[in-house]
Amino acid sequence: MIPNLGKMIKLRKAYAYGEQMDYLDDPAIIGWVRKGDEDHKDSGLAVVLSNGAEGCKTMEMGTAFAGETFYDVLGNCPEPVVIDENGYGCFGTAAKNVSVWVQKGALEDITVNE
């Protein structure tokens, strides 16, 4: 059994909409974002995977998310990420792990409907 697989499937189905940007510039930590769309409430998410040490990726969510707070719904990173005025945030993950970052509305929805 893969931990959190069911939750990740729900997250993808409910919130992985909009343009995708990949961040594959490091062999140990990769990430991608889906920027969301207007048709899906609270859509948009960021994913960071590590095959080694913990770390973070600065990734662009877009200026539409400026000032928004994102949370690691898988619980590997307790500190939230606030998107800066240019639309960027530094999204982290624990060593040899994965983190999926969503807005508060998505976090509450997934937590309630698990």
Side-chain angles (χ1 to χ4, degrees):
M1 178 78 182
I2 299 171
N4 293 311
L5 180 59
K7 188 181 282 188
M8 287 189 282
I9 291 169
K10 289 178 185 177
L11 287 163
R12 184 178 188 277
K13 183 177 180 181
Y15 304 107
Y17 292 95
E19 178 186 0
Q20 179 169 323
M21 293 183 67
D22 299 324
Y23 294 83
L24 309 173
D25 56 338
D26 184 308
I29 298 178
I30 65 168
W32 63 90
V33 300
R34 293 291 296 268
K35 293 187 173 188
D37 66 23
E38 293 182 12
D39 296 331
H40 299 90
K41 186 177 186 307
D42 296 320
S43 66
L45 54 77
V47 179
V48 181
L49 288 121
S50 168
N51 67 2
E54 69 179 40
C56 74
K57 294 280 261 191
T58 299
M59 301 189 291
E60 179 187 4
M61 287 301 301
T63 55
F65 289 97
E68 293 290 331
T69 303
F70 280 70
Y71 302 87
D72 177 9
V73 74
L74 301 182
N76 294 312
C77 296
E79 293 298 317
V81 171
V82 178
I83 305 303
D84 71 18
E85 65 276 357
N86 297 312
Y88 288 84
C90 189
F91 300 94
T93 193
K96 296 185 179 181
N97 223 313
V98 60
S99 293
V100 180
W101 296 87
V102 297
Q103 297 174 79
K104 187 174 184 176
L107 175 70
E108 291 170 349
D109 178 57
I110 291 295
T111 303
V112 168
N113 293 312
E114 281 189 82

